[in-house]
Amino acid sequence: GFIDEGVSLFAYLDQDGDGFGDPNLVRRVCELPEDGSLENTDCNDADDRTFPGAEERCNLEDDDCDGNIEDALWAGEDHPYPTPMAAVRAAVAGDMVCIESGVYTETMNFGGKNLRVMGVDRDTVIMQSTTGPRFTGGENATSLLAHMTFDPRAEDGSSTAPVGCGGLGCALSISNTSPTLRDLRFAGFAASSREINATVSVSGGAAVFEDVEFADMTTTQGYINGREVTGVFRANNWNGSGHGMTFTNNQTVRYNANNTYPYSNTKGLAMYLSGGSTMLEDVTITGNVGNSPQTNNGTIYVTGGTHTFERLRVVDNTLNRGRGGAFFITGAANVTINNGVLADNYVTGTNPLGGAILIQSGTVALNNVDIIGNTVSGSSTTDCGGGAIGHYGPNTSSLTAVNAISVSYTH
């Protein structure tokens, strides 16, 4: 007496594609259509960020479909707390802090409390302190910082030059903690120090970076012999992950133009990874420049540890007096790159090596990686080597390449 009995499905229209359908729009089908879902618990099928289990946002709406609007401490003009840190100080572990659009001049510091601190929008919540956020109090994986910009430059755009912020980790410092950083922008910081230097410092822990941008920053090379500089992101024994990180238009610069002081080497124009175990997905590094008068070693410098890159793009970076246009790999590191592009990087100076990759020691696996248009240029043809992939130092490295690596270069 029934047609298609036992084989038909109830499909709920899922017009925002978040996997959850509208309970009021249902039809009976034999096969689930592309715009259908077996779940009928979406409370707003016009917003793909609203569904059961979604992250609550600072928007006075029910984002996770639990029937409740976010219970948060609000900061900003016309809110109970005038500044973000006033709300953070008042919060207790587990609280959510929402920051209204505005410009704030405080240093963000959770003070060891596991909080969720979010701006209403990354482009309109501006943290203008010359010291970026600190995570040094034991914060764990339930801590979240999201949806804001850290930029010490004038809001009106009257100056685009990076602003001095101190030394190592002055834009962001994470030490033996494991917060999640999501949808953030760091820009306009200038780190300068006699010692080891980088605008971002991650030491230990398992911090997670999701859609975080690093742009328009400079790092001045330390002028004590043997002290290293990293252009942006310096990580030691980091056991975390990154998804959608971008590094754009950052540079390392010399301490002064007269070469009065001895200089140490740049290690990692964008990233320095020492030890640890990391998974980095959809990372883009482009338009960065290394101007150290000594050696600029790699846009990404890897020493020791195990590091996997998925869908990596390292494109159009310049290392003056350089080695390893995209990667410098040493310290018996294990590096795997899957589905990547290393293209149009430029290495120049005296004894430049490795237009795309320079391997000193380690195990490297390249799977579906295009290495295209990288350039090594020295004062003579005998001064340079490895237009695409070069080897330097003791023969303690191995390279495995799988599936049509397209290699072209200028030497």
Side-chain angles (χ1 to χ4, degrees), residues 273-286:
L273 302 173
S274 176
S277 176
T278 60
M279 168 62 78
L280 297 164
E281 301 175 295
D282 299 299
V283 173
T284 298
I285 303 175
T286 184

Side-chain angles (χ1 to χ4, degrees), residues 92-175:
V92 298
D95 277 352
M96 178 176 177
V97 174
C98 289
I99 305 174
E100 187 58 86
S101 297
V103 178
Y104 306 95
T105 58
E106 302 172 300
T107 296
M108 179 63 67
N109 191 328
F110 284 25
K113 293 184 284 191
N114 296 310
L115 307 172
R116 292 176 297 151
V117 178
M118 292 181 278
V120 295
D121 187 282
R122 188 179 84 165
D123 294 331
T124 61
V125 177
I126 311 298
M127 306 297 290
Q128 209 175 58
S129 172
T130 55
T131 302
R134 318 278 93 182
F135 290 94
T136 58
E139 294 87 356
N140 66 28
T142 65
S143 296
L144 171 68
L145 181 64
H147 314 312
M148 62 191 76
T149 290
F150 295 85
D151 189 337
R153 296 173 296 186
E155 182 195 9
D156 62 7
S158 57
S159 174
T160 59
V163 174
C165 64
L168 179 65
C170 60
L172 171 64
S173 180
I174 299 175
S175 179

Side-chain angles (χ1 to χ4, degrees), residues 228-239:
E228 304 162 356
V229 61
T230 296
V232 180
F233 188 98
R234 186 179 181 91
N236 291 281
N237 299 314
W238 173 39
N239 295 293

Side-chain angles (χ1 to χ4, degrees), residues 336-359:
T336 300
I337 307 172
N338 298 318
N339 305 307
V341 177
L342 313 178
D344 299 323
N345 299 291
Y346 186 77
V347 178
T348 187
T350 304
N351 299 319
L353 295 166
I357 301 173
L358 182 64
I359 306 172

Side-chain angles (χ1 to χ4, degrees), residues 9-29 32-47:
L9 306 169
F10 288 105
Y12 299 89
L13 181 62
D14 178 19
Q15 46 191 350
D16 61 9
D18 61 10
F20 296 84
D22 186 331
N24 300 310
L25 297 174
V26 60
R27 54 181 167 155
R28 195 165 187 168
V29 297
L32 191 67
E34 188 174 326
D35 63 351
S37 172
L38 299 178
E39 302 288 340
N40 66 348
T41 50
D42 202 334
C43 55
N44 182 354
D45 202 37
D47 186 345

Side-chain angles (χ1 to χ4, degrees), residues 19-348:
F20 296 84
D22 186 331
N24 300 310
L25 297 174
V26 60
R27 54 181 167 155
R28 195 165 187 168
V29 297
C30 291
E31 293 184 5
L32 191 67
E34 188 174 326
D35 63 351
S37 172
L38 299 178
E39 302 288 340
N40 66 348
T41 50
D42 202 334
C43 55
N44 182 354
D45 202 37
D47 186 345
D48 64 2
R49 294 190 296 172
T50 299
F51 54 85
E55 173 195 293
E56 279 289 356
R57 291 171 283 157
C58 295
N59 56 5
L60 298 177
E61 295 181 6
D62 179 15
D63 299 300
D64 61 2
C65 298
D66 67 352
N68 299 308
I69 295 173
E70 70 267 8
D71 182 15
L73 286 74
W74 276 85
E77 189 175 357
D78 299 325
H79 286 292
Y81 299 95
T83 68
M85 280 307 300
V88 167
R89 283 189 288 269
V92 298
D95 277 352
M96 178 176 177
V97 174
C98 289
I99 305 174
E100 187 58 86
S101 297
V103 178
Y104 306 95
T105 58
E106 302 172 300
T107 296
M108 179 63 67
N109 191 328
F110 284 25
K113 293 184 284 191
N114 296 310
L115 307 172
R116 292 176 297 151
V117 178
M118 292 181 278
V120 295
D121 187 282
R122 188 179 84 165
D123 294 331
T124 61
V125 177
I126 311 298
M127 306 297 290
Q128 209 175 58
S129 172
T130 55
T131 302
R134 318 278 93 182
F135 290 94
T136 58
E139 294 87 356
N140 66 28
T142 65
S143 296
L144 171 68
L145 181 64
H147 314 312
M148 62 191 76
T149 290
F150 295 85
D151 189 337
R153 296 173 296 186
E155 182 195 9
D156 62 7
S158 57
S159 174
T160 59
V163 174
C165 64
L168 179 65
C170 60
L172 171 64
S173 180
I174 299 175
S175 179
N176 296 313
T177 60
S178 302
T180 295
L181 291 88
R182 179 178 299 147
D183 186 33
L184 302 176
R185 185 172 193 266
F186 294 86
F189 290 91
S192 179
S193 172
R194 314 164 36 115
E195 303 289 340
I196 293 173
N197 200 11
T199 50
V200 175
S201 175
V202 178
S203 180
V208 175
F209 293 80
E210 300 174 355
D211 300 315
V212 178
E213 177 184 1
F214 303 94
D216 304 326
M217 298 196 284
T218 65
T219 306
T220 300
Q221 189 179 23
Y223 58 87
I224 294 181
N225 219 11
R227 300 297 192 263
E228 304 162 356
V229 61
T230 296
V232 180
F233 188 98
R234 186 179 181 91
N236 291 281
N237 299 314
W238 173 39
N239 295 293
S241 63
H243 178 87
M245 300 170 73
T246 61
F247 299 80
T248 309
N249 297 328
N250 304 288
Q251 64 176 318
T252 57
V253 298
R254 63 180 62 198
Y255 179 74
N256 67 7
N258 300 318
N259 292 328
T260 305
Y261 299 98
Y263 294 91
S264 53
N265 294 330
T266 295
K267 293 185 176 179
L269 175 55
M271 300 187 80
Y272 171 102
L273 302 173
S274 176
S277 176
T278 60
M279 168 62 78
L280 297 164
E281 301 175 295
D282 299 299
V283 173
T284 298
I285 303 175
T286 184
N288 303 283
V289 178
N291 283 318
S292 166
Q294 293 291 356
T295 305
N296 291 280
N297 293 305
T299 296
I300 302 173
Y301 184 95
V302 184
T303 176
T306 299
H307 309 279
T308 300
F309 297 83
E310 299 278 354
R311 299 173 300 278
L312 171 70
R313 295 184 72 254
V314 184
V315 178
D316 193 28
N317 301 284
T318 300
L319 278 71
N320 296 309
R321 196 179 177 96
R323 294 174 176 175
F327 277 91
F328 188 110
I329 298 168
T330 188
N334 290 287
V335 176
T336 300
I337 307 172
N338 298 318
N339 305 307
V341 177
L342 313 178
D344 299 323
N345 299 291
Y346 186 77
V347 178
T348 187

